[in-house]
Amino acid sequence: LKNSAFNIPPSVQKYPEFMRGEWQVQGSFRGFLFPSKSITKDQIITKTDVPGFQKCSIAQTCDVGKELVSYKMVINQNGMEDRKQNYKSVIEGNLGYSAVNKVVYDGDTGGNPNRISIAFEPNKTRNAERIELFCNARESELITKVSEEDGVERRIFVCSEYMRQVTFSLSNEFGVARQIVGNYAHFWTWREQADSNTLLGNLLTAAYLDPNDPLFFNEPAKPIAVFSQDVKARRI
């Protein structure tokens, strides 16, 4: 789960055929850990800017510890994710109410696949008025494995995205937005099932220190916090 040493802007993520379509996803929080051997747990939990420690500090799981969350995921027939719909749905599924005004993304129409802007409705959440997402690296692999249950070969899709999130919200200083920068990566595993209308998987989110953090050189590449969520999707 090391942070990526990114150089070349990654191309758009393409999903395999068995994942294409519209899905209702249920996520269940599985747990968390603090894996660093260089920074103590007490040092970590005093930091308020670690991704996941505040609502909306990780857009995909903006209420990280929520026990159950439900949202819609759409992957078109070209294998590209409908990021506008999906981010709006997953954020509101985490928050439990309508909060997103607009998602700006043009990576599915030939634009930049590594930049997403999310604007919130005014006064809907104290932690975010706007989120800017930058994908610095992206990896994926499609694996075929024989099922232990029935001996049939089925596909497993694993993918990762290394994100830099800038969150703007109200501050105590009039006319000046509060700005929090967070670095994290999502590691997805999606498993094809005998029932083609069902997917099972897991999401690991690794939170890293920002290079400007005083403790950065104590843990420059490895995560200081990891969150786990089991996911189950049912075709709509």
Side-chain angles (χ1 to χ4, degrees), residues 115-118 130-134 164-168:
R115 176 75 182 271
I116 302 171
S117 298
I118 303 167
R130 190 173 91 253
I131 288 175
E132 299 292 333
L133 290 173
F134 306 88
R164 182 171 178 85
Q165 175 173 323
V166 184
T167 307
F168 299 90

Side-chain angles (χ1 to χ4, degrees), residues 12-13 15 60 74 80-89 103 105 108 113 116 135 138 161 163:
V12 66
Q13 179 65 70
Y15 290 84
Q60 176 70 34
V74 177
M80 289 184 286
E81 192 178 349
D82 184 346
R83 300 260 182 176
K84 294 179 182 179
Q85 190 287 140
N86 290 357
Y87 265 110
K88 177 177 172 63
S89 182
V103 179
Y105 174 73
D108 53 355
I116 302 171
C135 182
R138 187 179 285 119
E161 288 191 321
M163 310 295 292

